[in-house]
Each structure stands twice: as C-alpha cells, then as structure tokens.
Amino acid sequence: RLRTFLTKPSLEPRPNLPAARVGEENAVSVSPRSNFFWDTEKQFPLLRDLSLSFKSGTLNMIIGRTGSGKSGLCNAIIGDLLSEKGERVVVRGRLAYAPQVAFIQNMTVRENILFGRPFDPAFYDRVVDACALRSDFDVLPGGDQCEIGAKGINLSGGQRQRVALARACYQQSDVYLFDDSLSAVDNHVAQHIFRHCILNLL
C-alpha cells in the first residue's frame, strides 16, 4: 500500500500569480467545461463540464444538497483534484482555506491561529473578536495559551471550526475559501461571524 501511494504521480504546482485588481479581474477562474477527477485513471469525473469565475472583491456562495460537489469544488480550487489536459484553475494572489473538517495541530490555540506568521496583537484581537473566540478564551485554562490535544480533542466542534476560520483570516490573503465553516456553530454565533468576520473583517 505504501509503494502504491508513494509512486503515484504528483499534482503539478499552481503558478504564483499577483493578486487581481478589485472588481476588475477574476480572482478565481476555471477553464470552460472542465472535468475534475480523484484518481489518475480519470474514468468518473467528480465535477463535469465546470465553468466559473469569481471577481476580486466579491462574496460568492455555492449552495447545493449533500453530495452535490461543493467540497469537491473547493478541492478543485485549492489544487487537490486532477483535471484533463489543458484544463486548469487560476487563482490570483494568496489563498487561505478553512476546510469542512477543521485541521488542528497539537500546540496552543494562539499558535494554531498564527500558523507561523508573526504575532500582531491589534490584528490578532480583531480576528479573535470577529470569529467569536473571546468568550472561549475566558473559559479555557490559560486562555489562548491553552495547549490543544491531538486533533483538537479538548475543543468542541464549533471551537475547532472557529479556530480554523481565525487561522484563515489571520493569513491576510487575497482569496478566502470556506467550506461550510458555520455548520458546527449556534445560529447567533453564525450570525456574528457572518456579520463581523465575513462582511466586515474580510
């Protein structure tokens, strides 16, 4: 199994392009009628005849039933799906991604949010408040210096999602991609995040 995994071909890295001008250029675009696949045999496309573009400086939402390909579209945009020859996804600028299942490392809450970037106290506080994490810091032992266990074992599902959302926001990227990042939070918390984080901070 290891040999099969390690000998699979690597995905081609996406070229780094400058950020798009707000309202003038597409921040994300997919070649017309593109097909995307999970496996190298390319027999059954996960996404078929896909054509889309998102202007810079706009908020776009993809809505559909479970299993309709919303997470697959996110995987195509971040470059984790295979495409046919000549078909490609173009992302202009730096991309920050918060997946549906939050990725949490065994380190402090603050280190999970900073994710290697320098600590900017003023902006950090704005991100924490926008992502509704301030009340969680008040109850966690040590606040944002609380050590998180493997896979976020000592955080609730909503806390893990909000930490992952705060991490994406703190990267100060050009394109933000959120895969159902409000699914594990209460309705009033979701409204707070949408108003203060997505519509204001970003």
Side-chain angles (χ1 to χ4, degrees):
R1 286 182 297 168
L2 284 173
R3 185 185 301 110
T4 302
F5 173 75
L6 292 173
T7 56
K8 281 185 174 293
S10 298
L11 294 170
E12 293 184 12
R14 181 184 295 129
N16 293 322
L17 300 174
R21 292 188 294 273
V22 175
E24 296 180 12
E25 297 175 328
N26 291 327
V28 178
S29 58
V30 178
S31 300
R33 301 182 66 84
S34 293
N35 296 319
F36 293 91
F37 308 82
W38 277 123
D39 59 342
T40 54
E41 287 74 25
K42 298 183 179 180
Q43 293 180 342
F44 305 104
L46 177 69
L47 300 171
R48 186 194 305 271
D49 293 335
L50 182 65
S51 307
L52 61 80
S53 61
F54 300 130
K55 288 281 188 186
S56 178
T58 62
L59 172 64
N60 302 275
M61 298 183 192
I62 306 296
I63 300 171
R65 292 176 295 184
T66 301
S68 59
K70 302 184 299 296
S71 295
L73 175 60
C74 291
N75 281 285
I77 292 174
I78 65 175
D80 276 357
L81 290 185
L82 296 164
S83 61
E84 292 180 325
K85 190 174 182 180
E87 299 177 349
R88 65 187 188 125
V89 178
V90 175
V91 178
R92 301 188 65 88
R94 296 176 63 242
L95 185 146
Y97 174 52
Q100 194 169 14
V101 179
F103 169 70
I104 302 295
Q105 291 186 299
N106 182 204
M107 51 179 59
T108 67
V109 176
R110 180 184 292 185
E111 289 170 331
N112 266 281
I113 294 173
L114 300 183
F115 211 56
R117 290 184 65 85
F119 178 57
D120 179 345
F123 184 64
Y124 177 81
D125 285 340
R126 285 186 63 202
V127 169
V128 166
D129 290 333
C131 295
L133 281 167
R134 185 69 62 188
S135 58
D136 297 285
F137 289 176
D138 294 337
V139 297
L140 288 172
D144 67 349
Q145 293 300 317
C146 175
E147 189 82 18
I148 302 178
K151 298 182 180 179
I153 191 68
N154 51 334
L155 296 180
S156 69
Q159 288 172 326
R160 288 196 295 269
Q161 262 193 341
R162 283 180 284 131
V163 168
L165 188 66
R167 176 197 303 137
C169 294
Y170 193 80
Q171 300 307 303
Q172 300 188 55
S173 297
D174 305 298
V175 177
Y176 294 89
L177 191 63
F178 301 140
D179 187 1
D180 208 7
S181 291
L182 304 180
S183 61
V185 300
D186 297 333
N187 186 46
H188 70 282
V189 176
Q191 290 182 11
H192 174 95
I193 293 172
F194 187 75
R195 183 180 302 113
H196 296 282
C197 176
I198 295 175
L199 295 182
N200 188 1
L201 180 67
L202 300 182

